[in-house]
Each structure stands twice: as structure tokens, then as C-alpha cells.
Amino acid sequence: MPLTWLLIASTKNQEDLFATDPFGLGAFHFFTNLGDLFTQNDGIFLRWMANTLLYTVVGAFLTTLVSVACGYAFDKYDFPGKEKLFGVVLVGILVPSTVLALPLYLMASELDLVNTYWAVLIPSLVNPFAVYLARVFSEGYVPGEALEAARMDGAGEVRIFARVSLPMLAPGFVTIFLFTFTAAWNSFYSSLMMLNDEKLYPVTLGLYTWYQSVQQQPEYYTLVIVGSLVSVVPLIVAFLCLQRFWRSGLTAGAVK
């Protein structure tokens, strides 16, 4: 019902939005609303969308790569304190992100990273849950015999990971990427803490600032609704394009 309302409300102008039934149709102004959205404040919404793509696509890819490498190492290598260290990773899953917000802000402030892209990107690289998933996928997808055969052929460990293991982990990689991508796209609190310049805002924080202004500037109400609809589109596109990978990833281990 909220999504249905969002679709219908995006087609209405400011007058029809409050004068008609919430699920009733009014005059069709969707393309006019879309044009107003993209031209408001010199096209700041497009800048927010570009920032969000940077934070999510680049951030999610690097996070997934780091997490898959860590999970693979936990699965395939033996080293002192391995299980205890993995226990620390599991404990990290239980820590709410809001608990870490203030310490991360103080660390970023000491490093002069506040109000920069790095303040959002760097903390996102650490994802304990993704490391846990990566270890599970590594156990299910990468047989030890394949690694031994590669070592007998003279391949180094980095080359084995890049050329042998990573292709086998492709479904798991895409599944973790999509989870991370979705979480990063919907991330709000970290950006609120770290960023002051609206040109660096992701779309979630930008729409929030517009919503905070609707009492003084009611025209922002329509822009927030249309902007919310537009912000969902990249998530839908990502899931549709990568669905065959994440479906196989989600069913991994279901059949022996």
C-alpha cells in the first residue's frame, strides 16, 4: 500500500495531492514533477544521486571484495587464533551501527576526513556479516581439491584466489554485493553524522533535508515524493540485472 500510494502521489500536482483521495487519481503531472525535481536548486538531486551511486557501487564493491577475501581466508587457511578471531567477527554482527557512530566520527575528525567522501566510504568497508556470509559461501563453493591442484601447478596464493576461487564464488560475491548495495543505498545515519555540505549528501539525506523544509516551503512535499520514487529505481534495476546470481547464491547449500 505505501508503494501504491507513492506511485499515485507522484502523478499529482500540489493541489491534487491534498484535495483528492490518497489512492484516487488526479490530473497527470508526473513528467512536470520530474522536471521540477531535476531542476530544483540547480539540479542538486542529480548530484545526490551521483553521490549515492559512488557510495553504494564503489563502496559495496570494495566492501564485498574485502569481505570475500576475509571469509575465504577464514575458510581455507589455518593460522593461530583463527576461530577466536572469527568469534570477534561474529560479535561484531551483534553491535548496532549507531553505537559506533560517535567513535567513527571522532576518528574521522582526528584524520580530517569529516565532510569528505572518505568519511562515508572508509567505514563501510568493514562488514562483519558479509565476512560471515563469505566464509559460508567459500565452504560451499570452493573445493579444497581445486586449490591443491592449482598449487601443484605452481600458482601462488593470490593468483589462486583471483583466478580459481573468485570465479567459483561469483554467486556468493553477487549476493553479498546486493545485500551491501541495498544497505549502503538506504544508509542515512552515518551520512547525517559525517557530512555538512549538501553537495556531498546521498539521496536519502538530501530528501530528508527537503522534507524538513516542507512547513516553510510546501512545494518540497511533491519533490520529496517524486524523489523517493526515483531513488527506488536503481535498486530495482540492480536486482533485476543480477537476479540469476543472487538466486543461486541464496539457495547455496540447500541441496547436497
Side-chain angles (χ1 to χ4, degrees):
M1 290 181 68
L3 288 176
T4 303
W5 177 86
L6 185 64
L7 285 169
I8 296 173
S10 298
T11 66
K12 299 179 181 180
N13 59 15
Q14 188 76 19
E15 181 180 353
D16 289 344
L17 190 61
F18 296 99
T20 61
D21 183 86
F23 292 95
L25 297 175
F28 190 81
H29 287 85
F30 177 73
F31 294 108
T32 302
N33 295 338
L34 206 60
D36 293 340
L37 175 69
F38 292 147
T39 57
Q40 184 71 26
N41 295 349
D42 297 323
I44 190 66
F45 181 80
L46 293 174
R47 178 66 180 265
W48 292 341
M49 288 292 289
N51 292 340
T52 304
L53 288 173
L54 173 65
Y55 296 141
T56 55
V57 176
V58 176
F61 177 80
L62 293 177
T63 302
T64 304
L65 187 61
V66 171
S67 300
V68 168
C70 290
Y72 170 81
F74 274 119
D75 175 41
K76 300 304 179 187
Y77 297 114
D78 291 320
F79 49 87
K82 169 183 169 179
E83 294 304 327
K84 291 182 179 179
L85 186 58
F86 189 68
V88 173
V89 174
L90 295 180
V91 170
I93 299 175
L94 305 177
V95 180
S97 58
T98 51
V99 174
L100 303 176
L102 182 58
L104 286 173
Y105 175 82
L106 295 176
M107 293 172 64
S109 179
E110 288 292 327
L111 297 173
D112 293 325
L113 295 178
V114 174
N115 208 34
T116 67
Y117 289 114
W118 298 111
V120 178
L121 282 172
I122 293 178
S124 69
L125 297 180
V126 180
N127 190 329
F129 181 66
V131 174
Y132 166 75
L133 281 182
R135 182 175 184 177
V136 173
F137 282 123
S138 178
E139 291 174 351
Y141 280 107
V142 184
E145 294 82 359
L147 305 185
E148 291 300 326
R151 293 189 183 104
M152 292 181 64
D153 289 338
E157 296 301 324
V158 175
R159 187 175 182 182
I160 291 173
F161 174 70
R163 297 292 184 88
V164 178
S165 302
L166 205 53
M168 293 180 179
L169 287 168
F173 189 98
V174 174
T175 302
I176 295 172
F177 174 82
L178 282 174
F179 281 131
T180 309
F181 179 89
T182 305
W185 191 274
N186 295 320
S187 177
F188 170 79
Y189 194 69
S190 61
S191 302
L192 179 65
M193 288 283 293
M194 295 293 187
L195 303 177
N196 299 317
D197 185 355
E198 69 171 8
K199 293 183 179 180
L200 302 178
Y201 285 177
V203 68
T204 50
L205 183 56
L207 291 175
Y208 171 77
T209 60
W210 278 358
Y211 183 72
Q212 293 295 100
S213 304
V214 295
Q215 297 295 333
Q216 294 77 28
Q217 297 173 287
E219 66 272 13
Y220 276 135
Y221 203 90
T222 304
L223 297 179
V224 170
I225 292 173
V226 181
S228 299
L229 179 64
V230 173
S231 68
V232 175
V233 173
L235 290 175
I236 297 174
V237 172
F239 272 87
L240 290 178
C241 293
L242 301 174
Q243 61 178 329
R244 71 184 182 92
F245 291 101
W246 66 265
R247 280 180 179 177
S248 62
L250 288 176
T251 57
V255 179
K256 284 282 187 181

